């Protein structure tokens, strides 16, 4: 039993290291989101860090329109990055979880 506990602890530590490595890798994965007409482009990492915003000159003439474009496009970019971030971390965590009898039932799976 003690050996099983040590094995589980080692597996959890390995999983934690993999999660941290995945978080670092996600900082290098970039995504691009554009407004529907392509006048605004946002580059964001899967770690949800904005890297670049490109704005067409014609959007600079209308402050309200630019603000609307920014809100919509940034929200889409952040959502896309969040989806990738969460999926990647969930896959690493699920793969690394020790096999604990009865855990699936406790988690409702």
């Amino acid at each position: 039993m003690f050996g099983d506990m040590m094995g589980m602890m080692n597996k959890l530590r390995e999983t934690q290291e993999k999660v941290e490595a995945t978080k670092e890798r996600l900082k290098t994965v970039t995504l691009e989101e554009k407004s529907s007409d392509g006048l605004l482009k946002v580059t964001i990492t899967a770690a949800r860090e904005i890297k670049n915003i490109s704005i067409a000159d014609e959007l600079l003439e209308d402050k309200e329109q630019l603000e609307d474009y920014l809100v919509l496009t940034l929200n889409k970019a952040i959502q896309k990055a969040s989806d990738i971030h969460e999926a990647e971390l969930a896959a690493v965590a699920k793969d690394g979880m020790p096999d604990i009898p009865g855990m699936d039932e406790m988690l409702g799976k």
Side-chain angles (χ1 to χ4, degrees), residues 33-50:
E33 185 64 48
K34 295 179 184 177
S35 60
S36 58
D37 56 10
L39 296 177
L40 181 76
K41 181 173 66 175
V42 173
T43 304
I44 187 170
T45 69
R48 299 175 292 240
E49 180 182 345
I50 305 286

Side-chain angles (χ1 to χ4, degrees), residues 33 39-44 50-56 59 66 69-70 73-74 77:
E33 185 64 48
L39 296 177
L40 181 76
K41 181 173 66 175
V42 173
T43 304
I44 187 170
I50 305 286
K51 289 296 192 177
N52 188 49
I53 297 175
S54 175
I55 302 169
L59 282 179
L66 175 57
Y69 271 62
L70 283 168
T73 308
L74 285 168

Side-chain angles (χ1 to χ4, degrees), residues 1 6 11 18 20 35-36 46 48 50 56 60 64 70 76 78 84 88-89 92 95 101 105 107:
M1 180 171 151
M6 290 301 291
K11 181 101 171 157
K18 287 180 183 177
E20 291 305 316
S35 60
S36 58
R48 299 175 292 240
I50 305 286
L60 298 175
E64 279 187 38
L70 283 168
K76 286 193 313 186
I78 292 167
I84 290 171
E88 290 285 323
L89 290 180
V92 170
D95 183 49
E105 290 82 23
L107 297 175

Side-chain angles (χ1 to χ4, degrees), residues 71-96:
V71 168
L72 291 171
T73 308
L74 285 168
N75 281 333
K76 286 193 313 186
I78 292 167
Q79 185 60 56
K80 188 185 288 185
S82 292
D83 290 347
I84 290 171
H85 188 270
E86 291 169 16
E88 290 285 323
L89 290 180
V92 170
K94 183 177 187 275
D95 183 49

